[in-house]
Amino acid sequence: MENMLLWLIFFTSGWTLIDGSEMEQDFMWHLRKIPRVVSERTFYLSSPTFEADARMVVNRVCGIECQKELPAPGLSELEDSLSYETVFENGTRTLTRVKVQGLVLEPTQNSTPKEAAVRRKRQVYGTDSRFSILDKRFLTNFPFNTAVKLSTGCSGILISPNHVLTAAHCVHDGKDYVKGSKKLRVGLLKMRKKGGGKKRRGSKRSKREAEASDQREGTKVSLQERPTRRGRVELGRGQRVAEGKPSFQWTRVKNTYIPKGWTRGAGGDAALDYDYALLELKRAHKKKYMELGVSPAIKKMPGGMIHFSGFDNDRADQLVYRFCSVSDESSDLLYQYCDAESGSTGSGIYLRLKEPDKKHWKRKIIAVYSGHQWVDVHGVQKDYNVAVRITPLKYAQICLWIHGNDANCAYG
């Protein structure tokens, strides 16, 4: 049953069940004109000490309820928060001031009048709804191949041949850069064959030898997908499951980009809205990556559901996939019910919507998983699963980081 549900999530095309009948919804990527984020001036800063622990030091997180009581930020405040630090491979650091052009300031978005339920501080809620992706045919192919592991213990997602999107707290605790981020590495999934050695190019085994080997290793499956231990799924469909122990191909990070809204240091608390960072790889990869998108409102998400995959610490070196509903939203944050353990923070949250031509469906990243956060709700600290949305301004900023200019960032 778990397998069938997972297959439906992967391959259905945006149908929802309403009052017992199916209706096709207009779930589509609507391209919009994006404000311009333009680099103005760059200053050299002192080199970081890289002594922080890999955790956030945020005394007070302003969540959705708190944001509803605040006035919308002005242009100068937005430009200050979108200014950014760059840390280079040799440990030097710069601050780049930006200007925002073409922005129409709008009131803060406060949707979903239903109040989110009060929840205890937990990381898995009720029945564990996560899926371990164990089959090599899925693990090394899109969209699962876009998930990466950081040497600091977080997850991330490939968004270009040279760039990884992750959470800012994975490399900076809000006050200083974390230990290990000076020589930060990114691990891309690959499969290590049983027995170690590489298979020679062009070599073939006979069908009889292959079947005998599969029988010994227990990899033969039935015509239907095969459930394994609770919460772990090996996807198969009339084929042998291609097993192997996952390992990582590690690549050094060349540059790290973090918004000033997060790296406020002693001058103030980091803003949860800016818990995202971009890592530029020293060497380009050849895997298919996932494009960035602008986060739509909950009502524009099929079933109000989101998806993401990461490397949860309780399942060593396994890629863990989950999907869940979004319970509330503000202009910058999403509250959601996804089961996740530490290690999955920094994962890219994505949707699968129609392309504008209405013929093709496409997955795009619309948020970054920040983790289980204590947020301020009317003066009381409560625990929620939080994701940071990709807004038009954040899209423009990340696009600037990727391309070095805003020439390719007009629409998103």
Side-chain angles (χ1 to χ4, degrees), residues 153-168:
C154 288
S155 298
I157 188 164
L158 299 172
I159 63 171
S160 90
N162 295 88
H163 297 91
V164 168
L165 185 66
T166 188

PDB file of all heavy atoms in Angstrom, residues 153-168:
ATOM      1  N   GLY A 153      26.675  18.322   8.092  1.00  0.00           N
ATOM      2  CA  GLY A 153      25.610  17.469   8.600  1.00  0.00           C
ATOM      3  C   GLY A 153      24.225  17.777   8.089  1.00  0.00           C
ATOM      4  O   GLY A 153      23.261  17.115   8.478  1.00  0.00           O
ATOM      5  N   CYS A 154      24.083  18.765   7.212  1.00  0.00           N
ATOM      6  CA  CYS A 154      22.774  19.134   6.666  1.00  0.00           C
ATOM      7  C   CYS A 154      22.561  18.513   5.291  1.00  0.00           C
ATOM      8  O   CYS A 154      23.403  17.782   4.784  1.00  0.00           O
ATOM      9  CB  CYS A 154      22.664  20.650   6.550  1.00  0.00           C
ATOM     10  SG  CYS A 154      22.507  21.524   8.131  1.00  0.00           S
ATOM     11  N   SER A 155      21.443  18.868   4.701  1.00  0.00           N
ATOM     12  CA  SER A 155      21.138  18.483   3.329  1.00  0.00           C
ATOM     13  C   SER A 155      21.083  19.732   2.457  1.00  0.00           C
ATOM     14  O   SER A 155      21.139  20.855   2.952  1.00  0.00           O
ATOM     15  CB  SER A 155      19.791  17.741   3.275  1.00  0.00           C
ATOM     16  OG  SER A 155      19.839  16.549   4.016  1.00  0.00           O
ATOM     17  N   GLY A 156      20.966  19.542   1.158  1.00  0.00           N
ATOM     18  CA  GLY A 156      20.836  20.634   0.212  1.00  0.00           C
ATOM     19  C   GLY A 156      20.289  20.091  -1.086  1.00  0.00           C
ATOM     20  O   GLY A 156      19.976  18.898  -1.196  1.00  0.00           O
ATOM     21  N   ILE A 157      20.179  20.967  -2.103  1.00  0.00           N
ATOM     22  CA  ILE A 157      19.636  20.536  -3.380  1.00  0.00           C
ATOM     23  C   ILE A 157      20.370  21.236  -4.514  1.00  0.00           C
ATOM     24  O   ILE A 157      20.708  22.420  -4.417  1.00  0.00           O
ATOM     25  CB  ILE A 157      18.115  20.790  -3.451  1.00  0.00           C
ATOM     26  CG1 ILE A 157      17.509  20.154  -4.702  1.00  0.00           C
ATOM     27  CG2 ILE A 157      17.800  22.284  -3.383  1.00  0.00           C
ATOM     28  CD1 ILE A 157      15.995  20.033  -4.650  1.00  0.00           C
ATOM     29  N   LEU A 158      20.620  20.493  -5.590  1.00  0.00           N
ATOM     30  CA  LEU A 158      21.303  21.037  -6.763  1.00  0.00           C
ATOM     31  C   LEU A 158      20.351  21.940  -7.541  1.00  0.00           C
ATOM     32  O   LEU A 158      19.257  21.514  -7.924  1.00  0.00           O
ATOM     33  CB  LEU A 158      21.777  19.908  -7.670  1.00  0.00           C
ATOM     34  CG  LEU A 158      22.773  18.910  -7.077  1.00  0.00           C
ATOM     35  CD1 LEU A 158      22.980  17.737  -8.038  1.00  0.00           C
ATOM     36  CD2 LEU A 158      24.102  19.581  -6.758  1.00  0.00           C
ATOM     37  N   ILE A 159      20.766  23.211  -7.792  1.00  0.00           N
ATOM     38  CA  ILE A 159      19.907  24.117  -8.539  1.00  0.00           C
ATOM     39  C   ILE A 159      20.586  24.655  -9.804  1.00  0.00           C
ATOM     40  O   ILE A 159      19.991  25.464 -10.517  1.00  0.00           O
ATOM     41  CB  ILE A 159      19.410  25.282  -7.664  1.00  0.00           C
ATOM     42  CG1 ILE A 159      20.563  26.156  -7.188  1.00  0.00           C
ATOM     43  CG2 ILE A 159      18.613  24.766  -6.490  1.00  0.00           C
ATOM     44  CD1 ILE A 159      20.086  27.439  -6.516  1.00  0.00           C
ATOM     45  N   SER A 160      21.798  24.214 -10.080  1.00  0.00           N
ATOM     46  CA  SER A 160      22.510  24.535 -11.322  1.00  0.00           C
ATOM     47  C   SER A 160      23.673  23.553 -11.415  1.00  0.00           C
ATOM     48  O   SER A 160      23.930  22.796 -10.481  1.00  0.00           O
ATOM     49  CB  SER A 160      23.010  25.990 -11.315  1.00  0.00           C
ATOM     50  OG  SER A 160      24.301  26.083 -10.761  1.00  0.00           O
ATOM     51  N   PRO A 161      24.401  23.553 -12.519  1.00  0.00           N
ATOM     52  CA  PRO A 161      25.567  22.659 -12.589  1.00  0.00           C
ATOM     53  C   PRO A 161      26.646  23.004 -11.569  1.00  0.00           C
ATOM     54  O   PRO A 161      27.536  22.178 -11.323  1.00  0.00           O
ATOM     55  CB  PRO A 161      26.081  22.882 -14.022  1.00  0.00           C
ATOM     56  CG  PRO A 161      24.908  23.366 -14.787  1.00  0.00           C
ATOM     57  CD  PRO A 161      24.135  24.211 -13.824  1.00  0.00           C
ATOM     58  N   ASN A 162      26.596  24.177 -10.971  1.00  0.00           N
ATOM     59  CA  ASN A 162      27.649  24.610 -10.056  1.00  0.00           C
ATOM     60  C   ASN A 162      27.154  25.032  -8.682  1.00  0.00           C
ATOM     61  O   ASN A 162      27.964  25.460  -7.860  1.00  0.00           O
ATOM     62  CB  ASN A 162      28.418  25.800 -10.657  1.00  0.00           C
ATOM     63  CG  ASN A 162      29.180  25.439 -11.911  1.00  0.00           C
ATOM     64  OD1 ASN A 162      28.640  25.510 -13.006  1.00  0.00           O
ATOM     65  ND2 ASN A 162      30.435  25.039 -11.751  1.00  0.00           N
ATOM     66  N   HIS A 163      25.850  24.931  -8.413  1.00  0.00           N
ATOM     67  CA  HIS A 163      25.329  25.535  -7.195  1.00  0.00           C
ATOM     68  C   HIS A 163      24.385  24.615  -6.423  1.00  0.00           C
ATOM     69  O   HIS A 163      23.625  23.838  -7.011  1.00  0.00           O
ATOM     70  CB  HIS A 163      24.598  26.839  -7.519  1.00  0.00           C
ATOM     71  CG  HIS A 163      25.488  27.887  -8.103  1.00  0.00           C
ATOM     72  ND1 HIS A 163      25.683  28.021  -9.468  1.00  0.00           N
ATOM     73  CD2 HIS A 163      26.250  28.849  -7.505  1.00  0.00           C
ATOM     74  CE1 HIS A 163      26.517  29.015  -9.690  1.00  0.00           C
ATOM     75  NE2 HIS A 163      26.877  29.536  -8.528  1.00  0.00           N
ATOM     76  N   VAL A 164      24.445  24.778  -5.100  1.00  0.00           N
ATOM     77  CA  VAL A 164      23.599  24.042  -4.161  1.00  0.00           C
ATOM     78  C   VAL A 164      22.877  25.042  -3.279  1.00  0.00           C
ATOM     79  O   VAL A 164      23.489  25.972  -2.735  1.00  0.00           O
ATOM     80  CB  VAL A 164      24.439  23.086  -3.292  1.00  0.00           C
ATOM     81  CG1 VAL A 164      23.625  22.536  -2.123  1.00  0.00           C
ATOM     82  CG2 VAL A 164      25.002  21.953  -4.133  1.00  0.00           C
ATOM     83  N   LEU A 165      21.573  24.861  -3.122  1.00  0.00           N
ATOM     84  CA  LEU A 165      20.775  25.674  -2.210  1.00  0.00           C
ATOM     85  C   LEU A 165      20.613  24.909  -0.903  1.00  0.00           C
ATOM     86  O   LEU A 165      20.328  23.709  -0.910  1.00  0.00           O
ATOM     87  CB  LEU A 165      19.412  25.973  -2.822  1.00  0.00           C
ATOM     88  CG  LEU A 165      18.490  26.912  -2.036  1.00  0.00           C
ATOM     89  CD1 LEU A 165      19.078  28.324  -1.964  1.00  0.00           C
ATOM     90  CD2 LEU A 165      17.090  26.939  -2.670  1.00  0.00           C
ATOM     91  N   THR A 166      20.783  25.594   0.225  1.00  0.00           N
ATOM     92  CA  THR A 166      20.650  24.952   1.536  1.00  0.00           C
ATOM     93  C   THR A 166      20.168  25.987   2.536  1.00  0.00           C
ATOM     94  O   THR A 166      19.829  27.122   2.176  1.00  0.00           O
ATOM     95  CB  THR A 166      21.991  24.321   1.970  1.00  0.00           C
ATOM     96  OG1 THR A 166      21.789  23.547   3.170  1.00  0.00           O
ATOM     97  CG2 THR A 166      23.045  25.383   2.236  1.00  0.00           C
ATOM     98  N   ALA A 167      20.101  25.614   3.805  1.00  0.00           N
ATOM     99  CA  ALA A 167      19.710  26.548   4.862  1.00  0.00           C
ATOM    100  C   ALA A 167      20.939  27.301   5.356  1.00  0.00           C
ATOM    101  O   ALA A 167      22.026  26.729   5.470  1.00  0.00           O
ATOM    102  CB  ALA A 167      19.051  25.799   6.012  1.00  0.00           C
ATOM    103  N   ALA A 168      20.758  28.579   5.677  1.00  0.00           N
ATOM    104  CA  ALA A 168      21.882  29.390   6.156  1.00  0.00           C
ATOM    105  C   ALA A 168      22.450  28.846   7.455  1.00  0.00           C
ATOM    106  O   ALA A 168      23.666  28.874   7.675  1.00  0.00           O
ATOM    107  CB  ALA A 168      21.433  30.840   6.340  1.00  0.00           C
TER     108      ALA A 168
END
